[in-house]
Short mmCIF file of all heavy atoms in Angstrom, two decimals:
data_model
loop_
_atom_site.label_atom_id
_atom_site.label_comp_id
_atom_site.label_asym_id
_atom_site.label_seq_id
_atom_site.Cartn_x
_atom_site.Cartn_y
_atom_site.Cartn_z
N ILE Y 23 -226.45 -142.57 76.02
CA ILE Y 23 -227.30 -143.66 76.47
C ILE Y 23 -227.30 -143.74 78.00
O ILE Y 23 -228.36 -143.88 78.62
CB ILE Y 23 -226.85 -145.01 75.86
CG1 ILE Y 23 -226.99 -145.00 74.34
CG2 ILE Y 23 -227.60 -146.18 76.49
CD1 ILE Y 23 -228.39 -144.83 73.83
N ALA Y 26 -229.42 -140.98 79.57
CA ALA Y 26 -230.81 -140.91 79.13
C ALA Y 26 -231.73 -141.46 80.22
O ALA Y 26 -231.73 -142.66 80.48
CB ALA Y 26 -230.99 -141.68 77.83
N THR Y 27 -232.50 -140.59 80.84
CA THR Y 27 -233.40 -141.01 81.91
C THR Y 27 -234.51 -141.89 81.38
O THR Y 27 -235.12 -142.64 82.12
CB THR Y 27 -234.01 -139.80 82.62
OG1 THR Y 27 -234.69 -138.99 81.65
CG2 THR Y 27 -232.92 -138.97 83.30
N TRP Y 28 -234.79 -141.80 80.09
CA TRP Y 28 -235.86 -142.58 79.48
C TRP Y 28 -235.41 -143.98 79.07
O TRP Y 28 -236.20 -144.79 78.63
CB TRP Y 28 -236.43 -141.85 78.25
CG TRP Y 28 -235.37 -141.31 77.35
CD1 TRP Y 28 -234.84 -140.05 77.39
CD2 TRP Y 28 -234.70 -141.99 76.30
NE1 TRP Y 28 -233.86 -139.91 76.44
CE2 TRP Y 28 -233.76 -141.09 75.74
CE3 TRP Y 28 -234.80 -143.27 75.77
CZ2 TRP Y 28 -232.94 -141.43 74.68
CZ3 TRP Y 28 -233.97 -143.61 74.72
CH2 TRP Y 28 -233.06 -142.70 74.19
N GLN Y 29 -234.15 -144.27 79.24
CA GLN Y 29 -233.62 -145.57 78.83
C GLN Y 29 -232.94 -146.22 80.03
O GLN Y 29 -232.15 -145.58 80.71
CB GLN Y 29 -232.62 -145.39 77.69
CG GLN Y 29 -232.32 -146.67 76.98
CD GLN Y 29 -231.49 -146.43 75.75
OE1 GLN Y 29 -230.29 -146.46 75.83
NE2 GLN Y 29 -232.14 -146.19 74.62
N ILE Y 30 -233.24 -147.46 80.27
CA ILE Y 30 -232.65 -148.14 81.42
C ILE Y 30 -231.62 -149.15 80.91
O ILE Y 30 -231.96 -150.26 80.50
CB ILE Y 30 -233.74 -148.85 82.24
CG1 ILE Y 30 -234.77 -147.84 82.70
CG2 ILE Y 30 -233.13 -149.57 83.44
CD1 ILE Y 30 -236.01 -148.44 83.31
N ARG Y 31 -230.39 -148.71 80.90
CA ARG Y 31 -229.29 -149.58 80.49
C ARG Y 31 -228.12 -149.33 81.42
O ARG Y 31 -227.85 -148.19 81.78
CB ARG Y 31 -228.84 -149.28 79.06
CG ARG Y 31 -229.86 -149.68 78.04
CD ARG Y 31 -229.25 -149.68 76.67
NE ARG Y 31 -230.33 -149.86 75.73
CZ ARG Y 31 -230.19 -150.36 74.54
NH1 ARG Y 31 -229.02 -150.74 74.12
NH2 ARG Y 31 -231.22 -150.50 73.75
N TYR Y 70 -234.20 -141.87 56.53
CA TYR Y 70 -234.52 -142.12 57.93
C TYR Y 70 -233.30 -141.81 58.80
O TYR Y 70 -232.20 -142.36 58.55
CB TYR Y 70 -234.94 -143.58 58.12
CG TYR Y 70 -235.34 -143.91 59.54
CD1 TYR Y 70 -236.59 -143.57 60.03
CD2 TYR Y 70 -234.44 -144.56 60.39
CE1 TYR Y 70 -236.95 -143.86 61.34
CE2 TYR Y 70 -234.80 -144.86 61.69
CZ TYR Y 70 -236.05 -144.50 62.15
OH TYR Y 70 -236.40 -144.79 63.45
N HIS Y 72 -231.45 -142.44 61.97
CA HIS Y 72 -231.44 -143.49 62.98
C HIS Y 72 -230.84 -143.01 64.30
O HIS Y 72 -231.29 -143.40 65.37
CB HIS Y 72 -230.66 -144.70 62.44
CG HIS Y 72 -230.77 -145.90 63.31
ND1 HIS Y 72 -229.82 -146.89 63.31
CD2 HIS Y 72 -231.70 -146.31 64.20
CE1 HIS Y 72 -230.16 -147.83 64.17
NE2 HIS Y 72 -231.30 -147.50 64.73
N TYR Y 75 -226.85 -137.81 68.10
CA TYR Y 75 -226.37 -137.65 69.47
C TYR Y 75 -225.33 -136.53 69.51
O TYR Y 75 -224.46 -136.45 68.64
CB TYR Y 75 -225.73 -138.94 69.99
CG TYR Y 75 -226.72 -140.05 70.23
CD1 TYR Y 75 -226.76 -141.16 69.39
CD2 TYR Y 75 -227.62 -139.99 71.28
CE1 TYR Y 75 -227.67 -142.19 69.61
CE2 TYR Y 75 -228.54 -141.01 71.50
CZ TYR Y 75 -228.56 -142.10 70.67
OH TYR Y 75 -229.46 -143.10 70.89
N LEU Y 103 -237.84 -139.92 61.62
CA LEU Y 103 -237.10 -140.50 62.73
C LEU Y 103 -238.09 -140.85 63.83
O LEU Y 103 -239.23 -140.37 63.82
CB LEU Y 103 -236.02 -139.55 63.26
CG LEU Y 103 -236.41 -138.19 63.83
CD1 LEU Y 103 -236.96 -138.27 65.25
CD2 LEU Y 103 -235.20 -137.27 63.83
N LYS Y 104 -237.64 -141.70 64.73
CA LYS Y 104 -238.44 -142.02 65.91
C LYS Y 104 -237.77 -141.38 67.11
O LYS Y 104 -236.55 -141.43 67.25
CB LYS Y 104 -238.52 -143.54 66.13
CG LYS Y 104 -239.34 -144.26 65.09
CD LYS Y 104 -239.34 -145.76 65.33
CE LYS Y 104 -240.10 -146.47 64.23
NZ LYS Y 104 -239.99 -147.93 64.38
N CYS Y 105 -238.59 -140.77 67.97
CA CYS Y 105 -238.09 -140.15 69.19
C CYS Y 105 -238.92 -140.64 70.36
O CYS Y 105 -240.15 -140.57 70.32
CB CYS Y 105 -238.17 -138.62 69.08
SG CYS Y 105 -237.43 -137.76 70.49
N VAL Y 106 -238.25 -141.15 71.37
CA VAL Y 106 -238.94 -141.62 72.56
C VAL Y 106 -239.74 -140.47 73.16
O VAL Y 106 -239.21 -139.37 73.35
CB VAL Y 106 -237.94 -142.21 73.57
CG1 VAL Y 106 -238.62 -142.59 74.87
CG2 VAL Y 106 -237.22 -143.41 72.98
N ALA Y 107 -241.00 -140.70 73.43
CA ALA Y 107 -241.90 -139.65 73.91
C ALA Y 107 -241.41 -139.00 75.20
O ALA Y 107 -241.57 -137.80 75.39
CB ALA Y 107 -243.31 -140.20 74.08
N SER Y 108 -240.79 -139.78 76.07
CA SER Y 108 -240.32 -139.23 77.34
C SER Y 108 -238.95 -138.55 77.23
O SER Y 108 -238.44 -138.03 78.21
CB SER Y 108 -240.30 -140.30 78.43
OG SER Y 108 -239.47 -141.37 78.04
N ASN Y 109 -238.38 -138.50 76.03
CA ASN Y 109 -237.14 -137.76 75.80
C ASN Y 109 -237.55 -136.31 75.48
O ASN Y 109 -237.54 -135.87 74.34
CB ASN Y 109 -236.34 -138.39 74.65
CG ASN Y 109 -234.98 -137.76 74.48
OD1 ASN Y 109 -234.68 -136.73 75.05
ND2 ASN Y 109 -234.16 -138.40 73.66
N HIS Y 110 -237.94 -135.61 76.53
CA HIS Y 110 -238.53 -134.28 76.38
C HIS Y 110 -237.59 -133.27 75.72
O HIS Y 110 -238.04 -132.45 74.91
CB HIS Y 110 -239.01 -133.76 77.73
CG HIS Y 110 -240.02 -134.68 78.36
ND1 HIS Y 110 -241.26 -134.92 77.82
CD2 HIS Y 110 -239.94 -135.45 79.48
CE1 HIS Y 110 -241.91 -135.78 78.58
NE2 HIS Y 110 -241.13 -136.13 79.59
N ALA Y 111 -236.31 -133.33 76.02
CA ALA Y 111 -235.36 -132.39 75.41
C ALA Y 111 -235.28 -132.60 73.90
O ALA Y 111 -235.29 -131.64 73.13
CB ALA Y 111 -233.98 -132.54 76.05
N ALA Y 112 -235.21 -133.86 73.47
CA ALA Y 112 -235.15 -134.13 72.03
C ALA Y 112 -236.45 -133.75 71.34
O ALA Y 112 -236.43 -133.16 70.26
CB ALA Y 112 -234.82 -135.60 71.78
N MET Y 113 -237.57 -134.05 71.97
CA MET Y 113 -238.85 -133.68 71.38
C MET Y 113 -238.95 -132.16 71.20
O MET Y 113 -239.39 -131.68 70.15
CB MET Y 113 -240.02 -134.20 72.22
CG MET Y 113 -240.24 -135.70 72.12
SD MET Y 113 -240.66 -136.29 70.46
CE MET Y 113 -242.19 -135.41 70.14
N ALA Y 114 -238.51 -131.41 72.19
CA ALA Y 114 -238.54 -129.94 72.10
C ALA Y 114 -237.61 -129.47 70.98
O ALA Y 114 -237.95 -128.55 70.22
CB ALA Y 114 -238.14 -129.32 73.44
N TYR Y 116 -236.68 -131.10 68.20
CA TYR Y 116 -237.26 -131.40 66.89
C TYR Y 116 -238.46 -130.49 66.59
O TYR Y 116 -238.59 -129.98 65.48
CB TYR Y 116 -237.64 -132.88 66.78
CG TYR Y 116 -236.44 -133.78 66.75
CD1 TYR Y 116 -236.26 -134.76 67.72
CD2 TYR Y 116 -235.46 -133.65 65.77
CE1 TYR Y 116 -235.15 -135.60 67.71
CE2 TYR Y 116 -234.35 -134.47 65.75
CZ TYR Y 116 -234.19 -135.43 66.73
OH TYR Y 116 -233.09 -136.24 66.71
N ARG Y 117 -239.32 -130.29 67.56
CA ARG Y 117 -240.47 -129.40 67.34
C ARG Y 117 -240.01 -127.99 66.99
O ARG Y 117 -240.58 -127.34 66.11
CB ARG Y 117 -241.36 -129.38 68.59
CG ARG Y 117 -242.18 -130.64 68.75
CD ARG Y 117 -243.03 -130.57 70.01
NE ARG Y 117 -243.83 -131.76 70.20
CZ ARG Y 117 -243.93 -132.41 71.34
NH1 ARG Y 117 -243.31 -131.98 72.43
NH2 ARG Y 117 -244.68 -133.49 71.41
N GLU Y 123 -245.29 -134.53 64.28
CA GLU Y 123 -245.59 -135.89 64.72
C GLU Y 123 -246.55 -136.54 63.73
O GLU Y 123 -247.60 -135.98 63.43
CB GLU Y 123 -246.20 -135.85 66.11
CG GLU Y 123 -245.26 -135.27 67.14
CD GLU Y 123 -245.96 -134.86 68.43
OE1 GLU Y 123 -247.11 -135.27 68.66
OE2 GLU Y 123 -245.32 -134.13 69.20
N GLU Y 125 -247.26 -140.19 63.96
CA GLU Y 125 -247.98 -141.24 64.70
C GLU Y 125 -247.21 -141.57 65.96
O GLU Y 125 -246.05 -141.18 66.12
CB GLU Y 125 -248.17 -142.49 63.85
CG GLU Y 125 -246.87 -143.14 63.40
CD GLU Y 125 -247.06 -144.28 62.42
OE1 GLU Y 125 -247.74 -144.09 61.39
OE2 GLU Y 125 -246.53 -145.37 62.70
N MET Y 126 -247.86 -142.32 66.83
CA MET Y 126 -247.23 -142.78 68.05
C MET Y 126 -247.18 -144.29 68.03
O MET Y 126 -248.07 -144.94 67.48
CB MET Y 126 -248.01 -142.28 69.26
CG MET Y 126 -247.31 -142.44 70.57
SD MET Y 126 -248.20 -141.54 71.87
CE MET Y 126 -246.89 -141.37 73.05
N GLY Y 127 -246.13 -144.85 68.61
CA GLY Y 127 -245.98 -146.29 68.69
C GLY Y 127 -245.31 -146.67 70.00
O GLY Y 127 -245.03 -145.81 70.82
N THR Y 128 -245.04 -147.95 70.14
CA THR Y 128 -244.35 -148.43 71.34
C THR Y 128 -243.19 -149.31 70.90
O THR Y 128 -243.35 -150.18 70.04
CB THR Y 128 -245.31 -149.25 72.23
OG1 THR Y 128 -246.42 -148.42 72.56
CG2 THR Y 128 -244.62 -149.68 73.51
N GLY Y 129 -242.03 -149.07 71.49
CA GLY Y 129 -240.83 -149.84 71.19
C GLY Y 129 -240.18 -150.30 72.48
O GLY Y 129 -240.75 -150.17 73.57
N GLU Y 130 -238.95 -150.80 72.37
CA GLU Y 130 -238.26 -151.34 73.54
C GLU Y 130 -237.98 -150.28 74.61
O GLU Y 130 -237.81 -150.61 75.78
CB GLU Y 130 -236.96 -152.04 73.14
CG GLU Y 130 -235.90 -151.11 72.56
CD GLU Y 130 -234.65 -151.85 72.14
OE1 GLU Y 130 -234.75 -152.72 71.25
OE2 GLU Y 130 -233.57 -151.54 72.68
N ASP Y 131 -237.95 -149.00 74.23
CA ASP Y 131 -237.73 -147.92 75.19
C ASP Y 131 -239.02 -147.22 75.59
O ASP Y 131 -238.99 -146.15 76.19
CB ASP Y 131 -236.73 -146.90 74.62
CG ASP Y 131 -235.36 -147.51 74.43
OD1 ASP Y 131 -234.91 -148.24 75.33
OD2 ASP Y 131 -234.74 -147.25 73.39
N GLY Y 132 -240.15 -147.82 75.24
CA GLY Y 132 -241.44 -147.23 75.60
C GLY Y 132 -242.10 -146.52 74.42
O GLY Y 132 -241.76 -146.76 73.26
N ALA Y 133 -243.02 -145.63 74.74
CA ALA Y 133 -243.75 -144.90 73.70
C ALA Y 133 -242.81 -143.99 72.92
O ALA Y 133 -241.89 -143.40 73.48
CB ALA Y 133 -244.86 -144.07 74.34
N TYR Y 134 -243.05 -143.91 71.62
CA TYR Y 134 -242.25 -143.03 70.77
C TYR Y 134 -243.17 -142.34 69.77
O TYR Y 134 -244.29 -142.77 69.51
CB TYR Y 134 -241.15 -143.80 70.03
CG TYR Y 134 -241.67 -144.77 69.00
CD1 TYR Y 134 -242.02 -144.35 67.71
CD2 TYR Y 134 -241.83 -146.11 69.29
CE1 TYR Y 134 -242.51 -145.24 66.76
CE2 TYR Y 134 -242.32 -147.01 68.37
CZ TYR Y 134 -242.66 -146.56 67.10
OH TYR Y 134 -243.16 -147.44 66.17
N TYR Y 135 -242.65 -141.25 69.21
CA TYR Y 135 -243.32 -140.56 68.11
C TYR Y 135 -242.54 -140.81 66.84
O TYR Y 135 -241.30 -140.73 66.85
CB TYR Y 135 -243.38 -139.05 68.35
CG TYR Y 135 -244.34 -138.65 69.44
CD1 TYR Y 135 -243.87 -138.30 70.70
CD2 TYR Y 135 -245.71 -138.64 69.22
CE1 TYR Y 135 -244.74 -137.93 71.70
CE2 TYR Y 135 -246.59 -138.26 70.22
CZ TYR Y 135 -246.09 -137.91 71.46
OH TYR Y 135 -246.97 -137.55 72.45
N LEU Y 136 -243.23 -141.08 65.76
CA LEU Y 136 -242.63 -141.06 64.44
C LEU Y 136 -242.75 -139.62 63.98
O LEU Y 136 -243.86 -139.09 63.87
CB LEU Y 136 -243.34 -142.01 63.48
CG LEU Y 136 -242.80 -142.00 62.04
CD1 LEU Y 136 -241.34 -142.48 62.00
CD2 LEU Y 136 -243.68 -142.86 61.15
N LEU Y 137 -241.63 -138.98 63.76
CA LEU Y 137 -241.59 -137.58 63.37
C LEU Y 137 -241.19 -137.46 61.91
O LEU Y 137 -240.46 -138.31 61.39
CB LEU Y 137 -240.58 -136.80 64.24
CG LEU Y 137 -240.77 -136.83 65.74
CD1 LEU Y 137 -239.65 -136.09 66.44
CD2 LEU Y 137 -242.12 -136.27 66.12
#
Side-chain angles (χ1 to χ4, degrees):
I23 296 297
T27 57
W28 45 267
Q29 195 172 91
I30 302 170
R31 291 194 189 205
Y70 182 79
H72 189 205
Y75 291 108
L103 61 78
K104 291 178 183 174
C105 185
V106 174
S108 59
N109 186 348
H110 302 295
M113 286 298 299
Y116 292 120
R117 285 179 180 134
E123 298 164 15
E125 61 187 52
M126 192 170 201
T128 303
E130 66 182 61
D131 295 317
Y134 67 83
Y135 289 103
L136 177 63
L137 304 177

